[in-house]
Amino acid sequence: MQAHNYYAPTPCHPPANVPNPAGYPLKELGTLLAPAVIRHQVNTGVAVEMIASYARSISHVCVQDLFDVQRPRCAPSPVCAYDLVSADSSEGKDTASRPFIGFLRKYEEEQTELNAAAHLDRLADTAAWKAQMRALNKRLDQAATEGDDLKDLKIEHKQLIARRPDRAADPKLIVDNVTPGALENMIGAGSKSLFITSTEAGGLLNGRLGRSTDLLNNAWDATPIPKDRVDKERTFAIDYRVSGHLALQGPVLQSIFARTGHLAHGSGLTARMLLTVPHSTLGNRFLRSDQSATFDEIDALGERVTALLKEGAARRQRAEARRIIVFSEQAARYFDDTYNHIQANLGRGQILHDVAAHAGKSAEQIARIAGMLYGIEGREGPLQVDVLERARIIGYWHLDQFLAHFGSGQPGDQRVIDGQVVRQALVTIASRGLGYIARGEVKKWCTKPLTTVRFDQAMQLLIDQGYVLLHKRGRTLLVAANLWR
């Protein structure tokens, strides 16, 4: 296939009976995911793109502990995904999520019941081990007090430490209210596969976990995470996988990014998120007495998700490595074309420049989506170009969403909002006949308090757009409003 010479997702035409004003590429989800999404939309009337985000997200979860994907000339990467949905109250976030999150909750409950006896055994083993340790510590204390040789007791202590039972815990998959420390503990206990989710994620993003961007970034990359404890040796969380799906109301998202957006964007957290801003269905979701809900397609997806989750758990028990999905020769060339195409649109003056941090991750996001499709559909052999092309279309749709929400001049661009404040200050200064003044003085005229970072970003945007005249006096750079702009 030839490289694309302009940035635009390939159009998709979903079934006529499914409202899809945002043009979500439904058919690219394939013959298992797409029918489940369509069926849930027909049953509920909720925005199809929001339903699709949940269906795709849980599909990443069920394959993330079975597969890694290896892009050309790169080390294997996880197939995990972070999703962020911005939808206002009563738009059906809980309704959209219910059957798909329900697959995971049902699996979790079944595993807890199956592990009930083993859980009690582990509790008993742990209690017995602690009793042995207390007794041994008393013998060590006594021997040290009496000046006896401690050599044999130290060997016995090492042997007992090595026999420490695994911590008794219910199998955990869904994490919906977690602190950074708790997340580190869960992924630090060995090979774990977790899913962070919330349909009202404002509290989570405003809280400690939302500010722990390094931890969340490392979790997306499955990077070993060190954990230091007082008087204990350093440990590492390794061989884990974490996906996430966070949904919150639009005003809450705007409020969070108005205060801390620079942290999320600058840290790379939003670069790792597949954004969905669904169209409003308020006033259009009517009940009909002649309509009956059916769930065959949804149940079929649930059976596949459960089977893959069980397969992942069995792999861990056997201590086997995850399967690595490699690219076919044709898919590798197509991936290079896609990567280069995105890169060509990242430069200054190009359409993706203002969201370069996010767009720069798009090629990897596409590879992860392709890995998810490969796993959920039970593919064998190298990744073929047809799967990669479907993943590219889905990835580009989410990239479009991010560009529309956070690109320059869009409602979510905090620089534009702050730029209006700074420009009004410059106009006020000009109306007083003050002419050129130092940048720092302009900040004092702003009617809304701005941090230094936000003021500098807004000023640079105004300069780039030609709203500011510059004048150098010695080593000082002075500014004034360009009233002719």
Side-chain angles (χ1 to χ4, degrees):
M1 291 190 180
Q2 298 298 315
H4 309 285
N5 51 23
Y6 63 93
Y7 172 74
T10 302
C12 172
H13 304 289
N17 61 335
V18 177
N20 190 18
Y24 185 85
L26 265 176
K27 71 174 184 180
E28 313 306 338
L29 290 176
T31 57
L32 182 65
L33 276 173
V37 171
I38 293 169
R39 174 54 55 196
H40 193 41
Q41 196 285 326
V42 172
N43 286 346
T44 65
V46 176
V48 70
E49 61 269 34
M50 182 157 60
I51 296 172
S53 76
Y54 280 104
R56 185 186 44 72
S57 183
I58 61 101
S59 298
H60 282 275
V61 176
C62 72
V63 302
Q64 68 186 12
D65 214 21
L66 283 169
F67 300 94
D68 287 336
V69 61
Q70 186 166 16
R71 291 164 287 157
R73 298 172 300 282
C74 293
S77 298
V79 293
C80 312
Y82 285 173
D83 275 84
L84 179 64
V85 168
S86 174
D88 291 341
S89 179
S90 299
E91 291 288 2
K93 295 187 290 292
D94 289 306
T95 300
S97 72
R98 191 166 292 120
F100 308 110
I101 304 299
F103 301 154
L104 306 186
R105 293 198 186 280
K106 182 179 179 181
Y107 169 80
E108 201 173 59
E109 291 169 2
E110 290 175 351
Q111 293 304 302
T112 298
E113 292 179 5
L114 290 172
N115 284 276
H119 181 80
L120 293 175
D121 289 340
R122 288 195 299 272
L123 287 174
D125 290 341
T126 300
W129 182 88
K130 289 181 177 179
Q132 289 178 299
M133 181 58 74
R134 287 194 298 270
L136 181 57
N137 285 335
K138 289 181 180 179
R139 291 167 57 196
L140 280 166
D141 290 342
Q142 184 178 355
T145 301
E146 296 175 358
D148 295 342
D149 187 1
L150 301 179
K151 181 178 179 181
D152 290 342
L153 288 173
K154 288 166 65 177
I155 293 174
E156 190 175 343
H157 188 273
K158 290 179 182 178
Q159 292 172 342
L160 184 58
I161 288 291
R163 296 198 305 271
R164 180 170 187 165
D166 293 334
R167 186 177 62 181
D170 288 331
K172 193 71 175 173
L173 175 61
I174 298 176
V175 181
D176 48 17
N177 186 15
V178 67
T179 63
L183 181 60
E184 287 181 340
N185 289 336
M186 280 186 278
I187 63 179
S191 175
K192 295 293 183 182
S193 180
L194 299 174
F195 181 51
I196 303 172
T197 184
S198 174
T199 55
E200 294 295 341
L204 188 149
L205 289 174
N206 272 317
R208 284 182 291 168
L209 184 62
R211 294 192 294 271
S212 299
T213 53
D214 287 346
L215 172 61
L216 293 173
N217 290 346
N218 286 336
W220 188 80
D221 293 318
T223 302
I225 298 175
K227 189 171 182 64
D228 296 311
R229 294 184 178 179
V230 178
D231 299 329
K232 294 186 179 181
E233 64 182 44
R234 168 179 267 198
T235 60
F236 286 86
I238 59 173
D239 195 23
Y240 63 90
R241 294 295 183 267
V242 178
S243 286
H245 193 293
L246 305 178
L248 69 172
Q249 297 181 29
V252 177
L253 179 65
Q254 294 295 345
S255 175
I256 291 172
F257 279 103
R259 296 193 311 276
T260 62
H262 63 284
L263 174 63
H265 288 314
S267 70
L269 178 57
T270 55
R272 291 166 168 81
M273 289 183 167
L274 295 168
L275 180 68
T276 301
V277 185
H279 73 281
S280 178
T281 58
L282 290 178
N284 292 309
R285 299 205 305 272
F286 297 106
L287 296 175
R288 298 202 320 267
S289 58
D290 62 342
Q291 179 182 7
S292 59
T294 59
F295 303 92
D296 291 347
E297 298 88 348
I298 297 172
D299 291 341
L301 176 60
E303 290 176 4
R304 178 61 176 161
V305 167
T306 302
L308 288 169
L309 290 171
K310 290 179 178 179
E311 190 178 338
R315 178 203 67 80
R316 290 198 303 274
Q317 290 178 350
R318 297 191 301 267
E320 294 177 355
R322 295 176 184 85
R323 287 177 54 191
I324 297 177
I325 303 169
V326 298
F327 285 56
S328 70
E329 184 176 342
Q330 185 185 19
R333 290 196 300 270
Y334 189 64
F335 179 83
D336 288 347
D337 287 345
T338 301
Y339 178 91
N340 292 336
H341 172 225
I342 294 170
Q343 284 293 314
N345 284 281
L346 294 181
R348 184 173 293 276
Q350 300 299 317
I351 190 170
L352 297 178
H353 178 71
D354 290 313
V355 294
H358 178 84
K361 291 283 186 186
S362 290
E364 182 175 356
Q365 295 276 26
I366 290 168
R368 291 183 178 217
I369 294 170
M372 176 275 294
L373 294 172
Y374 179 103
I376 197 77
E377 294 172 2
R379 301 266 179 154
E380 297 290 341
L383 179 72
Q384 299 300 322
V385 72
D386 64 309
V387 177
L388 185 59
E389 167 64 0
R390 288 162 53 202
R392 181 195 69 81
I393 295 171
I394 295 170
Y396 272 21
W397 186 89
H398 286 286
L399 178 54
D400 266 350
Q401 290 271 293
F402 196 91
L403 179 64
H405 203 69
F406 291 115
S408 178
Q410 303 301 328
D413 187 356
Q414 190 61 42
R415 296 174 306 165
V416 175
I417 300 171
D418 294 340
Q420 294 171 353
V421 176
V422 176
R423 189 182 180 205
Q424 185 57 50
L426 287 166
V427 172
T428 301
I429 292 168
S431 68
R432 303 291 179 90
L434 296 179
Y436 288 93
I437 66 172
R439 285 168 57 120
E441 292 298 313
V442 177
K443 188 177 178 183
K444 299 176 182 178
W445 288 78
C446 292
T447 57
K448 176 182 176 182
L450 301 175
T451 64
T452 300
V453 171
R454 286 172 56 183
F455 173 81
D456 289 343
Q457 290 176 342
M459 179 65 77
Q460 189 59 51
L461 178 64
L462 293 176
I463 292 172
D464 291 344
Q465 294 177 339
Y467 288 108
V468 178
L469 299 174
L470 303 176
H471 176 70
K472 193 170 185 180
R473 182 181 299 163
R475 296 184 177 180
T476 303
L477 186 65
L478 305 179
V479 296
N482 183 1
L483 300 178
W484 297 101
R485 180 67 166 82

